[in-house]
Amino acid sequence: MKIVNIGDVLLRPEMMEKALVGFERYKEKESFFFGPSTQSEMRAYIKHMEAVGSRCVPLPPEILEACRDADVLQVHQGPVPSEIFETAGKLKLVLVNRGGIENIDMEAACRAGVPVLANPAHNANSVAELTIGLMIAETRNIGRCHASMSVLHKWRETCPNSGRCHELKGRTVGLVGFGTIGRIVAQLLQAFQVHLLVYDPYIEPEKIAAVGGTSVSLEMLLQNSDIVSLHARVSESTRGMMGEAEFRMMKPTAVFINTARAPLVDTDALYKALREQWITGAALDSYHIEPIPEDDRFLRLDNVTFCCHKGGDTVESFENSPYMVLSEAERFFGGELPRFLMNPQVLKDRGISGCEEKEG
């Protein structure tokens, strides 16, 4: 089989090639570097790509030509437009080293009957670890103390939660969303002996109970949690799901953590909740505009811990991903149902059982 790898500045083609060691079916390979050469330029490209889709930028002719006789195409942020599916007559599988599939023309993939495997788990452990870090940083004032000492050269004694600075042990943590990342956060939290509440209408209560959690309504979670951590995916039903009504349900002593996506949150409502102290604080890793402008109103608040969208920015989250998707490709070629199949209908049409189940 021939595999074409399209890497970029975040996940370089040599990482994809390194992962191919041990996968003997790929007798031929071609690898390409695509897109911006700096991380800041790549961040701008990703924002554009997620808004526009697979036609955000044209693919170079040499990549289109290489794909014509490819059996497998592996990408990260690079676009896979309809031309790929229309001209690559041997294409059997597309592997995407990210959770989102905005860079793939899914309609064209379905028309061509080509399965698309994504990898929302590639940075799951990385994001989960940062989530725990932000919980501790915000509740224990790590960022505020650091800024006071390193920038102002002052020893700070009081913070917005002075007199209410608790350990995680014994607190109630609410997870909104129980996908791959939410589950790992729940597993990590077991070591802190918290009370765990989970809202996810698509997950069986038994799976939540298996990690010591209790399945509850969103209203009950917000009303009873000391820490609310957001882990939902963006969709028409979840966009702006944390609005004024939801923040008003939270305890005035509670903090809000968002290591998911900014569109899940009504920014005006969050700002008002923090400024008027409906809640005690927040820790954020995702923003509607990135980088966040220097005059952004949130930067004037003293009860927010900021992170520069670094949830998935670890060596492991990029290095491990190609091996993960290639392993799922082995399951596919072995006749098994792979994880994170984004267009299960193409396999269902072939009579492969279980293909209606898409793991998220």
Side-chain angles (χ1 to χ4, degrees), residues 337 341 344 351-358:
L337 182 70
L341 174 62
I352 300 178
S353 63
C355 59
E356 69 278 358
E357 301 172 5
K358 182 177 74 173

Side-chain angles (χ1 to χ4, degrees), residues 62-104:
E62 59 269 24
I63 293 181
L64 288 170
E65 183 61 31
C67 290
R68 285 183 180 273
D69 61 346
D71 296 283
V72 176
L73 172 61
Q74 179 178 198
V75 301
H76 183 225
Q77 302 287 357
V80 184
S82 60
E83 289 88 339
I84 293 287
F85 299 102
E86 291 164 359
T87 60
K90 296 174 58 180
L91 192 61
K92 301 174 179 65
L93 195 61
V94 173
L95 306 177
V96 187
N97 285 279
R98 61 192 298 264
I101 51 173
E102 297 91 345
N103 54 324
I104 315 298

